[in-house]
Amino acid sequence: MTWQGLVLLLGAFAVAGVLTYRQHMGYQRAVNELAAEENRSGVLLVSGRAKHWRRGAIVLLVIDRRRGQVLRARAMEGASVFARFRERPELAGPVEAAEQRAGSKALAKAVHEALGMASRLNAGALRTAAR
């Protein structure tokens, strides 16, 4: 390998690292925004992810513990570091049917993981059909 090839390879790794860092900061910003906007008693903020070699998904759910309702949802789906969080109003509603409302397999898996986390955090008292 020539020195030009090595510089090109190192440059590609640096660009990938910067883009990954920006995506992580976007996740952190989305979590902080939702936490600040939905900071009230009886509300739980959980996240779930689905990884696959082609595309993945991350979901943030705001759940009312008492009523068993998803109040708000944001999701990031895609195959690149350019994916961003977007509001997903179709996920709002009863916790029991949240996976069916997901629309894609990756998003449904991320919702399933988030609901499992919510159930564990709520000592199993959350009304959900999480498997």
Side-chain angles (χ1 to χ4, degrees):
M1 176 180 281
T2 65
W3 69 270
Q4 293 96 342
L6 184 60
V7 168
L8 184 64
L9 185 65
L10 290 175
F13 277 122
V15 167
V18 168
L19 292 175
T20 301
Y21 177 76
R22 286 192 60 216
Q23 189 176 45
H24 173 72
M25 295 307 289
Y27 170 78
Q28 188 175 7
R29 185 173 34 260
V31 168
N32 289 338
E33 285 174 3
L34 270 179
E37 293 168 3
E38 302 293 340
N39 186 15
R40 58 185 186 267
S41 179
V43 174
L44 184 65
L45 172 62
V46 292
S47 70
R49 70 178 179 162
K51 289 172 52 172
H52 193 268
W53 68 274
R54 282 194 347 231
R55 64 185 290 133
I58 299 174
V59 69
L60 302 171
L61 299 177
V62 177
I63 299 173
D64 184 334
R65 294 182 198 210
R66 295 179 204 118
R67 295 184 313 165
Q69 295 277 323
V70 176
L71 302 176
R72 213 166 146 198
R74 283 190 183 175
M76 177 172 55
E77 269 188 288
S80 75
V81 293
F82 298 111
R84 296 287 177 248
F85 277 95
R86 305 213 188 300
E87 288 288 333
R88 299 298 295 262
E90 69 272 13
L91 293 175
V95 167
E96 292 86 13
E99 286 182 61
Q100 288 78 26
R101 294 189 306 265
S104 76
K105 196 174 185 180
L107 190 57
K109 186 176 177 184
V111 168
H112 177 74
E113 185 176 312
L115 293 178
M117 170 87 62
S119 182
R120 286 189 301 275
L121 290 173
N122 212 32
L126 185 66
R127 294 182 313 193
T128 179
R131 293 167 249 177

Short mmCIF file of all heavy atoms in Angstrom, two decimals, residues 1 33 77 93:
data_model
loop_
_atom_site.label_atom_id
_atom_site.label_comp_id
_atom_site.label_asym_id
_atom_site.label_seq_id
_atom_site.Cartn_x
_atom_site.Cartn_y
_atom_site.Cartn_z
N MET A 1 0.85 -1.17 0.00
CA MET A 1 0.00 0.00 0.00
C MET A 1 0.90 1.23 0.00
O MET A 1 1.85 1.32 0.76
CB MET A 1 -0.91 -0.03 1.22
CG MET A 1 -1.77 1.21 1.34
SD MET A 1 -2.86 1.22 2.76
CE MET A 1 -4.15 0.17 2.20
N GLU A 33 -34.00 16.71 25.16
CA GLU A 33 -35.18 17.51 24.81
C GLU A 33 -36.46 16.85 25.32
O GLU A 33 -37.31 17.50 25.93
CB GLU A 33 -35.27 17.71 23.30
CG GLU A 33 -34.30 18.69 22.73
CD GLU A 33 -34.33 18.74 21.20
OE1 GLU A 33 -35.16 18.03 20.58
OE2 GLU A 33 -33.51 19.47 20.63
N GLU A 77 -34.49 5.93 12.11
CA GLU A 77 -34.38 4.72 11.31
C GLU A 77 -33.47 4.99 10.13
O GLU A 77 -33.51 6.08 9.57
CB GLU A 77 -35.74 4.33 10.74
CG GLU A 77 -36.55 3.41 11.59
CD GLU A 77 -37.76 2.94 10.83
OE1 GLU A 77 -38.67 3.75 10.63
OE2 GLU A 77 -37.78 1.76 10.44
N GLY A 93 -50.46 5.90 21.82
CA GLY A 93 -51.65 5.11 22.08
C GLY A 93 -51.37 4.03 23.10
O GLY A 93 -50.38 4.10 23.83
#
